[in-house]
Amino acid sequence: MAKKAQTKISVLLSDLEYERLDAYCHDRGYKKSTLVARLIRQYLDMEGYGAQPPSPFTRGGRTGTR
C-alpha cells in the first residue's frame, strides 16, 4: 500500500505547555505528532474550513437533501 505524502510543521511551545502536552500524551498513550494532527483536523472541521474531499457516495459531493 502506498503512503500518502505528508508535510512536516514545527510548533513552538513554552516549557510549561510542552510539559502539559507530554504528560497528557504519556498518560493517554498518544504520540504527540498524531495527537496534534488530529486536533488540527478537528478544529478545521469544526470551523468549516477546507471541507473534506467529496464522498463518492453522495450526489455532487454534497451531503443532506436538496
Side-chain angles (χ1 to χ4, degrees), residues 10-40:
S10 296
V11 177
L12 300 175
L13 300 173
S14 69
D15 289 342
L16 178 60
E17 290 168 335
Y18 179 82
E19 288 172 14
R20 292 174 63 201
L21 176 64
D22 190 52
Y24 182 87
C25 289
H26 181 266
D27 291 347
R28 301 273 199 301
Y30 288 110
K31 287 175 53 179
K32 287 179 221 41
S33 61
T34 303
L35 176 61
V36 171
R38 188 183 93 193
L39 292 172
I40 291 169

Side-chain angles (χ1 to χ4, degrees), residues 38-49:
R38 188 183 93 193
L39 292 172
I40 291 169
R41 282 191 302 274
Q42 287 177 337
Y43 185 80
L44 293 173
D45 289 347
M46 180 182 72
E47 291 291 317
Y49 192 80

